[in-house]
Amino acid sequence: MCAEANNEVLRQLSERKSVRVFTDDPVTAAEREAILQAAFMAPTAGNQQLYTILDITDPGLRAQLAELCDHQPMIAAAPLCLVFLADCRRWLDAYRMAGCTPRTPGAGDLLLAAADACIAAQNSVTAAQSLGIGSCYIGDILENAEAVQAALHLPAYVVPAAMVIFGRPTAQQERRQKPARFPEQAIVFENTYPEADPDRLRAGFAARAEANGNTADLDESLRAFCARKYESDFSREMTRSAEVYLRDFQKR
Amino acid sequence: MCAEANNEVLRQLSERKSVRVFTDDPVTAAEREAILQAAFMAPTAGNQQLYTILDITDPGLRAQLAELCDHQPMIAAAPLCLVFLADCRRWLDAYRMAGCTPRTPGAGDLLLAAADACIAAQNSVTAAQSLGIGSCYIGDILENAEAVQAALHLPAYVVPAAMVIFGRPTAQQERRQKPARFPEQAIVFENTYPEADPDRLRAGFAARAEANGNTADLDESLRAFCARKYESDFSREMTRSAEVYLRDFQKR
């Protein structure tokens, strides 16, 4: 028995794939509004909405972000570009407004706000999909902290958690196959994190490669991916930037 | 013109509210599978699925987590309880398996993996909703790092990003009103983070309180919320725990 039968929501969650090339069709004001409303209606810790959303409309700023986020021109070209900021500032300012002298936000506050921001972002992605609008997360918004802070006028305690670009998929993007995931046994475990097991690890990666039609040697592919992604300049830069953002949260 | 008309996905995203009391009806195996599949199909950085999901089935472990997560018995009582772990370990182990000597994960890797985990978690919440299954995020999974690490057997570079409990809402929970959010003008800004503006800040909080039928003095409410939530023991504990989790990511 498959729970997906006749369930439009499950079907759309399953079919949704990242879209990186968009048609020239705009995202209309009504569509943008539905995308934002879905974000607002997402679960949020204590109904606090620990995020701020920046709608990046200025072409110059878009071009700058396209450069800062690993040189991806699609960021400038997308019909809609939203930055979801983990915002530990709004409530802090409100507490001060009310006469409190609150503690400065810590790393736990940042992680909670970043979760809030990502949960809201994913609702906006799901909403867009239901309107025929594709989307792509840009993880690289976490890079180049100082330049991004300056470009977006970010004060202390406000950190980019996610950037999402939106637009209608080109025919080529519609045809593109969604990449296969790991088998469930590689991702889901009962009760506790499993002991390290080289055979299980290899089986999971091998099954994922096979499902994606990747017939290259697994170890060679992993070494290439490690060099291209994990050991890349942008990956190291992401951690340097995260340290910059964390600094304010780790002051005592 | 409202984009929501006739759009089942938007309707469900809008209606979804947290459910904290569940009927005795189980989440069936097919439903659990649909919830997990929706998580897997969520967007994920570089198709890496930087998360592991623990399905907490052991009653003793559930009771322990209920205590560790701010003493909330509903965690023990829920038909399904999933912990979404930001996992910077799986790929690291695979790189080592393939003969690489990769750098140790940094704070940027953690933030990226936590985003992946929360995005997957939100898809599972949306999938559950489509099956008539309610859910509630438990942010408190970020507390008591050492005890949670021991209980879930978490190795270094694996950090709880979200916990979600699932089950069918009781009639009382069905009737409960979803709390109103901030007005859009308090959350969404064009291009840059706005200058501090006490009037705008107050207007946003006042509109939110009014929409929730809260007629108490705003400053008094904020001071009470600050004391009860932000300055609470569990909130400080969350930041202490986050620092414990971050430690491994900040070694050089």
Side-chain angles (χ1 to χ4, degrees):
Chain A
M1 192 188 72
C2 171
E4 261 187 58
N6 302 319
N7 185 320
E8 178 65 14
V9 174
L10 294 181
R11 193 183 64 73
Q12 289 193 23
L13 291 177
S14 175
E15 286 182 1
R16 188 269 172 200
K17 59 191 178 193
S18 293
V19 172
R20 295 184 181 80
V21 191
F22 306 105
T23 69
D24 292 335
D25 296 325
V27 172
T28 68
E31 289 165 342
R32 173 185 175 282
E33 189 54 30
I35 288 168
L36 289 172
Q37 286 296 333
F40 305 152
M41 296 310 262
T44 163
N47 196 33
Q48 291 174 94
Q49 294 180 270
L50 302 167
Y51 55 82
T52 285
I53 303 173
L54 298 183
D55 180 3
I56 313 293
T57 59
D58 179 65
L61 183 54
R62 282 282 201 97
Q64 195 186 350
L65 288 178
E67 274 314 297
L68 290 172
C69 298
D70 199 31
H71 321 288
Q72 301 186 75
M74 64 189 182
I75 295 167
L80 178 67
C81 171
L82 300 178
V83 178
F84 292 80
L85 303 166
D87 189 338
C88 298
R89 177 118 221 148
R90 182 182 303 115
W91 283 84
L92 190 73
D93 287 347
Y95 295 145
R96 287 175 178 158
M97 173 183 81
C100 305
T101 49
R103 63 181 175 79
T104 58
D109 300 293
L110 172 59
L111 291 183
L112 195 66
D116 245 35
C118 290
I119 289 166
Q122 182 54 15
N123 257 24
S124 77
V125 161
T126 301
Q129 166 91 353
S130 80
L131 298 165
I133 296 169
S135 59
C136 185
Y137 279 89
I138 311 289
D140 306 277
I141 191 64
L142 259 170
E143 296 159 28
N144 298 304
E146 298 86 347
V148 168
Q149 281 175 322
L152 303 181
H153 300 191
L154 304 186
Y157 311 126
V158 177
V159 178
M163 176 157 82
V164 186
I165 54 175
F166 298 89
R168 290 195 158 66
T170 61
Q172 177 271 335
Q173 289 281 302
E174 291 270 26
R175 281 193 306 270
R176 204 174 57 83
Q177 219 176 347
K178 177 166 176 161
R181 306 304 199 222
F182 282 105
E184 181 170 334
Q185 315 85 278
I187 299 288
V188 182
F189 298 92
E190 202 170 349
N191 293 316
T192 53
Y193 197 87
E195 296 274 325
D197 175 346
D199 291 341
R200 189 197 62 236
L201 186 69
R202 183 171 289 279
F205 277 85
R208 175 179 177 278
E210 195 190 341
N212 281 308
N214 186 346
T215 56
D217 178 74
L218 179 59
D219 286 353
E220 212 168 289
S221 298
L222 281 167
R223 286 193 295 270
F225 192 82
C226 184
R228 193 174 75 244
K229 284 271 197 181
Y230 189 68
E231 300 286 11
S232 67
D233 288 346
F234 65 77
S235 184
R236 290 167 189 274
E237 166 53 24
M238 192 177 284
T239 277
R240 189 201 64 80
S241 276
E243 294 286 348
V244 172
Y245 285 120
L246 274 166
R247 217 173 282 154
D248 288 321
F249 293 90
Q250 300 189 309
K251 279 182 191 148
R252 279 299 166 273
Chain B
M1 193 186 69
C2 172
E4 261 186 57
N6 303 318
N7 185 319
E8 178 64 14
V9 174
L10 294 182
R11 195 183 61 74
Q12 290 193 22
L13 291 177
S14 176
E15 286 182 1
R16 188 271 172 199
K17 60 192 176 194
S18 294
V19 171
R20 295 184 181 82
V21 190
F22 306 106
T23 69
D24 291 336
D25 296 327
V27 172
T28 68
E31 288 165 343
R32 174 185 174 279
E33 189 55 31
I35 288 168
L36 289 171
Q37 286 296 331
F40 305 152
M41 297 310 260
T44 164
N47 195 32
Q48 291 174 92
Q49 294 179 270
L50 301 168
Y51 54 83
T52 285
I53 302 173
L54 298 184
D55 180 4
I56 312 295
T57 60
D58 179 65
L61 184 54
R62 281 284 200 96
Q64 195 185 351
L65 288 178
E67 274 313 298
L68 289 172
C69 298
D70 199 31
H71 322 289
Q72 301 185 76
M74 64 189 182
I75 295 167
L80 177 66
C81 171
L82 301 178
V83 178
F84 292 81
L85 302 165
D87 191 337
C88 298
R89 175 119 224 148
R90 181 181 303 115
W91 283 84
L92 190 73
D93 286 347
Y95 295 146
R96 287 174 177 157
M97 173 183 82
C100 304
T101 48
R103 63 180 174 80
T104 56
D109 299 293
L110 172 59
L111 291 183
L112 195 66
D116 245 35
C118 291
I119 290 165
Q122 183 52 16
N123 257 23
S124 76
V125 161
T126 302
Q129 165 90 352
S130 79
L131 298 165
I133 297 169
S135 58
C136 186
Y137 279 90
I138 311 288
D140 305 277
I141 190 65
L142 258 170
E143 295 159 27
N144 297 305
E146 299 86 348
V148 168
Q149 281 175 322
L152 303 181
H153 300 190
L154 304 186
Y157 311 127
V158 177
V159 177
M163 176 156 84
V164 187
I165 55 175
F166 298 89
R168 288 191 161 68
T170 60
Q172 177 270 336
Q173 289 282 301
E174 290 271 26
R175 281 193 306 270
R176 203 175 57 83
Q177 219 177 347
K178 177 166 177 163
R181 307 306 200 219
F182 282 105
E184 180 170 335
Q185 314 87 276
I187 299 290
V188 182
F189 298 91
E190 200 169 351
N191 292 315
T192 52
Y193 196 87
E195 295 275 325
D197 175 345
D199 292 339
R200 190 197 61 238
L201 186 68
R202 182 170 290 279
F205 277 85
R208 175 179 178 277
E210 194 190 341
N212 281 308
N214 186 345
T215 56
D217 178 74
L218 180 59
D219 286 353
E220 212 168 290
S221 298
L222 280 166
R223 285 193 296 269
F225 193 82
C226 184
R228 194 174 76 244
K229 286 272 197 180
Y230 188 68
E231 299 287 10
S232 67
D233 288 347
F234 66 77
S235 183
R236 290 166 188 275
E237 166 54 25
M238 191 176 283
T239 277
R240 189 202 64 83
S241 276
E243 293 286 348
V244 171
Y245 286 120
L246 273 166
R247 219 174 278 152
D248 288 322
F249 294 89
Q250 298 188 310
K251 280 182 189 146
R252 280 296 165 275

